[in-house]
Amino acid sequence: HVQLVESGGGSVQAGGSLRLSCLASGSLPSNYCMGWFRQAPGNERDGVATIHKDGTTSYADSVKGRFTISQDDAKNTVYLQMNNLLPEDTAMYYCAADRFACLQGPGSRWDRSQWNYWGQGTQVTVS
């Protein structure tokens, strides 16, 4: 079993920055995917960014050029650096983990059902 704990959310003004962290623990395989999703009230949970253990990343079009996903293997932590935040970025942000999800094509990579493990979420509010 894998446990994920997010932190770093908060309230910022448009144009500001935040860095989210996701600490992973438990039975992590040697190679796996980590991802960030977000969900605003009344909306679906949408994929934001993914990263594989080998460093391969992918981003949703809406955040390309503004968000950066990275990982610190020594700390079992994945980060989401969010710059130039917009009001439409307001959402609950969730960390996810899975062995294979990020290796699939775009149609499946962003499908929440492909991801096995989830954190509790951290709120980001942009005004």
Side-chain angles (χ1 to χ4, degrees):
H1 188 66
V2 174
Q3 295 84 39
L4 304 173
V5 178
E6 303 98 332
S7 61
S11 296
V12 295
Q13 292 188 338
S17 299
L18 282 174
R19 188 178 79 158
L20 307 182
S21 299
C22 174
L23 174 62
S25 61
S27 303
L28 294 165
S30 58
N31 288 289
Y32 57 94
C33 300
M34 297 288 290
W36 286 97
F37 287 69
R38 65 186 181 186
Q39 187 169 17
N43 288 359
E44 297 290 322
R45 189 171 297 188
D46 296 325
V48 175
T50 71
I51 187 166
H52 189 259
K53 196 68 171 171
D54 67 4
T56 303
T57 59
S58 62
Y59 296 92
D61 288 342
S62 59
V63 306
K64 281 180 181 176
R66 300 188 300 122
F67 292 10
T68 303
I69 190 170
S70 62
Q71 59 190 356
D72 185 331
D73 292 341
K75 297 181 179 179
N76 280 343
T77 299
V78 171
Y79 303 98
L80 185 68
Q81 177 66 43
M82 304 184 296
N83 298 328
N84 191 22
L85 283 160
L86 306 171
E88 49 263 46
D89 294 318
T90 295
M92 184 72 79
Y93 282 70
Y94 296 91
C95 180
D98 186 82
R99 190 165 180 188
F100 302 111
C102 70
L103 301 176
Q104 302 184 56
S108 297
R109 183 188 311 145
W110 304 121
D111 181 351
R112 61 178 293 185
S113 70
Q114 300 298 313
W115 295 78
N116 262 323
Y117 303 102
W118 292 89
Q120 293 301 306
T122 184
Q123 178 68 37
V124 172
T125 303
V126 185
S127 59

